[in-house]
Amino acid sequence: MSAVSLTEAQALGEKILMAHNVEQRNASLTIASLLRAEMEGLPSHGFSRIPYYAAQSAAGKVDGHAVPLVERVKPGVVTVDARCGFAFRAFADGLPVAVQAAKESGVALLAVRNSHHAGVLGFPVADLAEQGLVALGFANSPASLAPYGGTKVTFGTNPLAMACPRKNAPPLVIDLSMGLLARGKILQAAKKGELIPEGAAVDAQGNPTRDPAKAFDGALLPFGGPKGYALALMVEIMSAALTGATLAIEASSLFTPDGPAPRLGQSFLVMNPAASAGATFVDRVEQLLAYINDQPGTRLPGDRRIGLSQQARQSNSIDLPDDLLKELRSL
């Protein structure tokens, strides 16, 4: 592992994407999200994604010059056509309009279509919570997850994220993937020669496997059996059907440069708690969280990530595997 300063990491990532047909703002927003993932201890959604993003942009699978089309089609509905560009630019352009709509109407829907990899879905909902709003986020991804009892890939790992503001503390962020493992972690396990946990995947013939290569060619399994499957179905409807995006079974891979644009979907429900609960909202949240924290052995979702992010800011650096760093510098 090698320590890389935050400034150097951001500049390196931007330089790579811009060398692979991505314009400045799209590159900056994309790398900022990947860097944030590294800082919060989520390498599967961090700089390991850069080679895939770069190859897809160079091939035209993702449009590195796309400017999203943002429209407020109803007082409480904002749509974003990402135009086959990176999701991070779509979020950056669409979320401020959704914030305004939520503050005026009490609640707003942001629907994104023709998009790409959503990255860490907890980030945009956390940014909304920083502005005093409660947010739910839904995102689909290319099919890699079999329904409970089935063997055919039908859903992506389809994250669901929620964030709410707190009093004198960073927002509470809950970010769930519907698979026992994210597909990025399967790839990391394959590169390291590691086995994946029992019960996380089946091979192409539907047999349980701990081999990440066989899992990648087969299907991941939902966490919690039928409950995870039901949640994956819910997220697919909220992120794809509701937005007019492609279904997971129609979307092309996020790990190869060949094929058409994946045209994925993301949606956000943005709520102004002042409209329903007034000034008591954060007090009630703090009462609940204090009750949880008073119990020995408990911690709040996201506590570890907040701690790691603070450490990264204090050290002004992230640690990257030497082989990844060498690959990035070669790009």
Side-chain angles (χ1 to χ4, degrees):
M1 301 289 281
S2 295
V4 182
S5 75
L6 302 183
T7 302
E8 180 187 352
Q10 178 74 27
L12 173 63
E14 288 184 23
K15 187 175 180 180
I16 293 169
L17 291 188
M18 291 172 69
H20 290 76
N21 203 25
V22 181
E23 64 87 32
Q24 172 68 59
R25 184 158 188 258
N26 287 340
S28 178
L29 291 168
T30 299
I31 296 303
S33 183
L34 302 188
L35 179 58
R36 189 172 172 181
E38 291 287 350
M39 293 169 66
E40 294 197 9
L42 301 167
S44 63
H45 287 62
F47 273 36
S48 64
R49 294 274 176 167
I50 293 177
Y52 302 112
Y53 287 1
Q56 289 175 51
S57 178
K61 188 172 184 176
V62 58
D63 184 354
H65 294 262
V67 177
L69 175 63
V70 181
E71 297 181 289
R72 188 171 175 183
V73 296
K74 299 284 185 182
V77 180
V78 180
T79 63
V80 181
D81 185 342
R83 293 177 165 173
C84 298
F86 289 104
F88 313 105
R89 174 70 180 268
F91 299 163
D93 289 4
L95 286 172
V97 185
V99 167
Q100 185 64 31
K103 288 184 175 179
E104 291 175 3
S105 303
V107 61
L109 168 69
L110 176 68
V112 183
R113 65 182 182 275
N114 295 326
S115 191
H116 196 256
H117 182 230
V120 178
L121 195 61
F123 293 163
V125 295
D127 293 343
L128 290 166
E130 290 280 9
Q131 299 179 68
L133 301 166
V134 178
L136 281 167
F138 309 85
N140 78 333
S141 53
S144 61
L145 194 74
Y148 180 71
T151 58
K152 292 183 179 180
V153 291
T154 307
F155 311 109
T157 48
N158 286 20
L160 164 65
M162 178 266 187
C164 74
R166 294 190 59 191
K167 182 180 289 186
N168 303 320
L172 173 71
V173 180
I174 300 168
D175 190 349
L176 306 174
S177 168
M178 299 309 145
L180 278 171
L181 286 181
R183 217 161 190 223
K185 291 184 178 179
I186 299 286
L187 276 178
Q188 287 191 321
K191 287 183 177 180
K192 294 178 181 178
E194 298 174 349
L195 296 176
I196 60 174
E198 194 76 47
V202 293
D203 62 19
Q205 287 71 47
N207 301 310
T209 184
R210 296 189 63 198
D211 184 327
K214 292 182 179 179
F216 202 80
D217 292 333
L220 304 183
L221 298 176
F223 82 90
K227 294 182 179 180
Y229 155 52
L231 284 170
L233 175 58
M234 178 187 76
V235 173
E236 187 74 11
I237 292 170
M238 291 294 295
S239 59
L242 187 64
T243 65
T246 61
L247 297 172
I249 55 177
E250 302 169 317
S252 60
S253 173
L254 293 172
F255 294 104
T256 60
D258 59 300
R263 298 181 182 273
L264 297 169
Q266 297 95 25
S267 67
F268 298 89
L269 287 175
V270 188
M271 295 155 277
N272 183 4
S276 56
T280 66
F281 176 77
V282 289
D283 293 326
R284 298 293 281 169
V285 169
E286 292 304 326
Q287 180 183 356
L288 172 60
L289 300 185
Y291 189 81
I292 295 170
N293 279 329
D294 283 345
Q295 301 175 50
T298 63
R299 70 177 185 184
L300 299 178
D303 275 356
R304 175 180 170 275
R305 286 161 55 175
I306 291 171
L308 290 173
S309 179
Q310 291 172 342
Q311 290 174 23
R313 293 187 187 282
Q314 289 169 359
S315 67
N316 191 35
S317 67
I318 56 171
D319 290 328
L320 294 176
D322 292 330
D323 58 343
L324 174 60
L325 190 56
K326 182 179 179 180
E327 180 183 9
L328 294 177
R329 287 177 171 155
S330 74
L331 292 173

